[in-house]
Amino acid sequence: MYKLLAQKVNALYSKKVPATGVGFFRLLFGLVTLQEVFFLLYFNHLIFDPIPFMDVEFPMIPFFLWLWALVAFCLAIGYRCQAASVANYIFWLLFVNFTPMQRDFDGGFDLFMIGANFFLIFMPMEQAFSVDSLRKKLLRPFTHYSQYPAPEVSALTYYLPVAICLGFLYFDSAIHKMFAEHWRNGLGAWLPSSIPYYMSALDLSWLLNIEILQKIIGYTIIVFQFTFLLFFHRRQFRWLYFLVGISLHLGITLSFNIYPFGMGMLIFYALVMPFAWYRNIGTFLRVKQPLLTVFYDQQCPLCNRTVLTLNHFDVLHGVDFKPAQVFAIDYPALAELGEKQLLTDLYAVDGDGRVYAGVDTYSQILISMRYTAMIGWTMKLPLLYQLICGRYRAIADSRTRLACDVSCLPASAENLPPSWYERIFEAEHALPARSRVHKISKVLLVLILFQFNSSFHYGLLYRLHVDTRQSPITSMLADMSNAVLMMSHTFLGITPHALYLHDHFEGYDRLLAISYLNANGEEQWLPFVDRQGRLLAPNWGRVHSMWANIAVTPNIDELRLKKFIMKVTAFWGIKTDLDLDSTQFIVKMKRIRAPFVWEKDLRNSNLAGEWQAIGTAQWAGKDIKINLPKDIDIL
């Protein structure tokens, strides 16, 4: 087995592919992390305060969240990628494992993001769509951008994270699905889409009422997850698994209110998309001929850095930059300009022969880059145009020129510390190829064993009700397995993926909501669960998990339910400017159905049920009195 594994690793290690997908993955990963940090900032008091707004146990949480947001932003734009990826990984570890997020507000994708971030640290993330790649070029300002080859990376940096983070997850999840009756009936997507707590605001009843289509979707998910690891890397199947995977996770994002999970999975398909598709999309989007040719002073360090910067962001190749001393003579439109005048300003010529100078050139550059056209047009507005012209003139007239060529390269540009990717994958920084392949193969084998431990322990032994404590030896092995799982769970995100199975929905036959009486004695609903039973935005993601997966379950724990009633009434009561002490909150319940066989119009039936008041909650200072039935399960 190890020999076959090493051969596959060696083949992928030696294959060079475009770096576009890795850069795009880093960008998306940073943006998904950033939106989640903003979510945590908004719900800071609900998630981290023992009593929202009234008992603030962690006053420094917002500071660290803003710091995390800065790190995620740096990761998204690719600024100091190595440090940003490590810092982001540490933030995920700390917040998931050492705050209430771990127990009460599981986002459903936290461990997945930890595992993905672990691999991101070792990926060549600065090669595409990054500020770091520009910073490297600016260290060589007299090297024209055309002299840099298209960045390429080892294909292993695409396949390895996908195999571990997606392939293993899918296979483990498929094992658990085989023990769930509604999944075996092909209704894995239909059932949660028909439960009000889990559905999004989109009305998909027309889709849910087509039984055969729902079963096709359900069985497709199972086949897809079982076979992904075996076939996604094959060239003839890669496009198919990309399209099916994108469709399934886009469906999760749109139809469920767990959009962070859907988006977290979707970003991995930046690594699954066929390499040729990146090339074809790039060819389609880029202009066939530059819309504008810009002439700059090649002996001006500021001009050279400006050109490198503008070209870096000209992803559609709408502008061509050429040294004026060499190429201006080939353009008749510039014939009337002497060399001294030509080097005084930044001149440009468009496809129709029109000449631009100074600020007009910069404006036209932004317009020709297309996606920045709005900025270019804005620069031409009265007053703003005169202000920019004055500032430009002051800089242009004070710039220095050098009689210089590539020999001006700073010594520091040759001595940049190699990234971890370069240390592992690039020959000039790493061990001999054979040794590197074997080290990677051994690490991969350990990761496979970690995943096997999780899937075997919880996907088979637990599901088959095997008593692992029947003898001292099996008990010891079970403890060892749990210890290994704890480590891999914490640092690599390897965990059982038993999501939305029969043991979650069996007996899930009621919903709870909270309303209140206003000053006029009229009943109003908190902006939390609406009259239909749906969790309203922005109470999605991890707040949804708190209420729908922990507070309200088939077997309700009264202590936990009261804890979350306290949190929700305090948070949304204060958010909506209610006087808590004079407001009576009403706990309401309605019946729903969660069958494991298909029923027409179940979604609308569950939304249309009648509510009944089953309890009250009343605040008095920092204390709350909650009255609920002694046995809520029999209602």
Side-chain angles (χ1 to χ4, degrees):
M1 176 183 173
Y2 175 77
K3 185 176 180 180
L4 291 174
L5 180 64
Q7 289 176 349
K8 186 64 178 178
V9 169
N10 184 56
L12 295 175
Y13 179 90
S14 306
K15 181 180 178 181
K16 294 296 182 180
V17 296
T20 310
V22 175
F24 193 40
F25 172 75
R26 185 215 71 247
L27 169 64
L28 294 176
F29 186 89
L31 291 177
V32 170
T33 301
L34 188 61
Q35 70 81 31
E36 191 63 20
V37 175
F38 286 149
F39 182 95
L40 291 173
L41 280 165
Y42 183 84
F43 284 105
N44 163 36
H45 292 286
L46 176 65
I47 295 173
F48 301 109
D49 292 355
I51 305 176
F53 297 106
M54 290 183 272
D55 182 8
V56 181
E57 185 171 324
F58 307 103
M60 289 294 289
I61 283 287
F63 170 78
F64 287 108
L65 286 174
W66 280 114
L67 191 60
W68 189 5
L70 178 62
V71 168
F73 178 74
C74 289
L75 188 60
I77 66 174
Y79 177 70
R80 299 192 180 274
C81 293
Q82 191 79 77
S85 61
V86 173
N88 199 61
Y89 177 70
I90 292 172
F91 272 118
W92 274 113
L93 284 178
L94 292 177
F95 272 88
V96 169
N97 291 286
F98 298 101
T99 73
M101 283 171 56
Q102 180 190 40
R103 176 176 172 83
D104 296 335
F105 292 88
D106 177 15
F109 79 134
D110 295 336
L111 294 173
F112 177 79
M113 295 295 280
I114 288 174
N117 203 151
F118 175 81
F119 284 97
L120 187 64
I121 292 172
F122 302 95
M123 295 171 72
M125 44 194 163
E126 78 285 352
Q127 297 283 358
F129 307 124
S130 75
V131 174
D132 280 356
S133 64
L134 173 61
R135 291 173 63 230
K136 288 184 178 180
K137 292 177 183 177
L138 292 178
L139 291 172
R140 297 179 170 94
F142 294 95
T143 301
H144 194 265
Y145 58 81
S146 61
Q147 298 180 30
Y148 289 95
E152 291 187 329
V153 298
S154 170
L156 198 60
T157 61
Y158 281 80
Y159 289 102
L160 189 58
V162 172
I164 302 297
C165 295
L166 280 191
F168 286 179
L169 180 152
Y170 286 152
F171 194 81
D172 179 82
S173 179
I175 292 174
H176 287 280
K177 287 179 173 60
M178 290 296 93
F179 293 90
E181 183 180 348
H182 66 289
W183 274 104
R184 293 197 302 270
N185 292 337
L187 301 176
W190 170 82
L191 183 57
S193 299
S194 302
I195 306 298
Y197 275 173
Y198 296 88
M199 62 181 68
S200 72
L202 294 177
D203 186 356
L204 299 177
S205 341
W206 61 274
L207 187 65
L208 299 174
N209 285 336
I210 306 175
E211 180 181 4
I212 185 65
L213 180 58
Q214 288 303 308
K215 290 186 175 181
I216 290 174
I217 293 173
Y219 289 128
T220 297
I221 293 173
I222 294 175
V223 173
F224 173 82
Q225 292 189 332
F226 265 127
T227 61
F228 182 89
L229 197 57
L230 298 175
F231 299 112
F232 87 93
H233 54 87
R234 297 179 181 270
R235 185 176 181 181
Q236 62 269 37
F237 297 122
R238 191 180 177 93
W239 66 271
L240 177 62
Y241 280 87
F242 172 79
L243 292 178
V244 173
I246 284 283
S247 300
L248 294 178
H249 291 298
L250 188 60
I252 290 174
T253 306
L254 295 176
S255 61
F256 296 157
N257 56 20
I258 53 170
Y259 69 92
F261 176 80
M263 292 193 303
M265 301 292 284
L266 276 172
I267 62 176
F268 257 90
Y269 282 84
L271 303 177
V272 178
M273 187 162 76
F275 303 123
W277 288 23
Y278 277 114
R279 299 188 185 98
N280 295 337
I281 292 173
T283 301
F284 174 76
L285 292 177
R286 291 171 187 150
V287 297
K288 302 301 183 288
Q289 293 293 332
L291 304 177
L292 190 72
T293 302
V294 179
F295 301 89
Y296 66 97
D297 182 358
Q298 67 176 349
Q299 292 182 324
C300 165
L302 175 61
C303 301
N304 280 273
R305 289 189 172 93
T306 300
V307 165
L308 288 173
T309 302
L310 291 171
N311 173 261
H312 181 79
F313 292 101
D314 182 22
V315 294
L316 303 180
H317 295 189
V319 184
D320 189 16
F321 296 88
K322 294 183 177 182
Q325 292 92 329
V326 179
F327 293 97
I329 194 173
D330 298 330
Y331 287 78
L334 302 177
E336 297 181 359
L337 302 175
E339 181 176 338
K340 183 177 180 179
Q341 182 180 357
L342 190 62
L343 298 180
T344 302
D345 271 322
L346 194 69
Y347 283 88
V349 178
D350 65 15
D352 297 324
R354 287 187 291 264
V355 179
Y356 305 89
V359 172
D360 292 326
T361 296
Y362 282 100
S363 175
Q364 204 62 30
I365 288 172
L366 293 171
I367 294 172
S368 299
M369 288 166 63
R370 296 195 285 186
Y371 72 96
T372 56
M374 187 62 68
I375 302 175
W377 292 325
T378 303
M379 289 175 61
K380 295 183 177 183
L381 295 175
L383 298 180
L384 183 59
Y385 178 78
Q386 284 76 17
L387 180 64
I388 295 174
C389 283
R391 183 58 182 163
Y392 167 79
R393 194 74 271 153
I395 296 174
D397 292 342
S398 62
R399 64 188 172 89
T400 58
R401 301 183 71 243
L402 300 174
C404 191
D405 54 21
V406 291
S407 62
C408 293
L409 176 68
S412 61
E414 298 291 352
N415 299 316
L416 291 173
S419 66
W420 290 356
Y421 166 80
E422 291 171 329
R423 294 175 185 273
I424 297 172
F425 291 92
E426 300 296 339
E428 60 268 27
H429 300 290
L431 298 169
R434 182 180 180 85
S435 177
R436 295 196 298 272
V437 167
H438 281 290
K439 285 183 178 296
I440 295 171
S441 300
K442 290 174 183 177
V443 171
L444 180 55
L445 186 60
V446 171
L447 294 176
I448 292 173
L449 292 176
F450 282 163
Q451 182 61 60
F452 175 80
N453 173 64
S454 175
S455 297
F456 184 75
H457 192 142
Y458 289 98
L460 294 177
L461 296 182
Y462 173 80
R463 292 292 173 188
L464 294 173
H465 306 289
V466 175
D467 183 8
T468 58
R469 303 294 178 178
Q470 58 185 341
S471 72
I473 294 179
T474 57
S475 181
M476 180 188 66
L477 292 175
D479 290 338
M480 291 174 59
S481 174
N482 283 324
V484 170
L485 184 60
M486 178 64 70
M487 183 183 68
S488 61
H489 172 98
T490 301
F491 296 103
L492 299 174
I494 295 176
T495 189
H497 295 281
L499 303 175
Y500 294 175
L501 300 184
H502 63 290
D503 44 10
H504 181 86
F505 287 114
E506 189 172 15
Y508 208 123
D509 57 2
R510 61 198 175 282
L511 305 178
L512 298 184
I514 303 173
S515 63
Y516 65 93
L517 298 178
N518 64 17
N520 298 323
E522 299 170 338
E523 185 177 15
Q524 304 288 329
W525 291 69
L526 279 181
F528 185 60
V529 177
D530 70 4
R531 296 175 185 271
Q532 291 182 312
R534 290 192 306 104
L535 279 154
L536 297 173
N539 301 286
W540 292 357
R542 61 183 74 253
V543 176
H544 150 89
S545 179
M546 172 273 292
W547 190 255
N549 299 339
I550 301 176
V552 183
T553 65
N555 299 297
I556 293 178
D557 183 318
E558 183 181 355
L559 289 177
R560 304 201 79 184
L561 175 60
K562 287 185 175 180
K563 172 185 176 181
F564 294 126
I565 290 175
M566 176 272 293
K567 277 183 165 285
V568 170
T569 54
F571 180 81
W572 280 116
I574 294 174
K575 273 277 190 181
T576 52
D577 298 322
L578 296 178
D579 181 358
L580 294 184
D581 289 348
S582 61
T583 301
Q584 184 181 53
F585 294 93
I586 303 170
V587 181
K588 314 197 75 163
M589 183 192 76
K590 80 167 180 176
R591 290 289 181 181
I592 61 169
R593 299 185 66 255
F596 292 160
V597 293
W598 184 84
E599 292 183 11
K600 186 175 181 180
D601 222 24
L602 179 65
R603 180 187 188 276
N604 291 329
S605 174
N606 281 336
L607 290 174
E610 294 293 329
W611 293 92
Q612 65 179 107
I614 63 167
T616 60
Q618 181 71 55
W619 282 93
K622 291 186 179 181
D623 296 321
I624 185 173
K625 183 177 182 180
I626 301 174
N627 296 311
L628 291 174
K630 293 183 179 180
D631 190 354
I632 197 171
D633 284 338
I634 66 175
L635 287 176

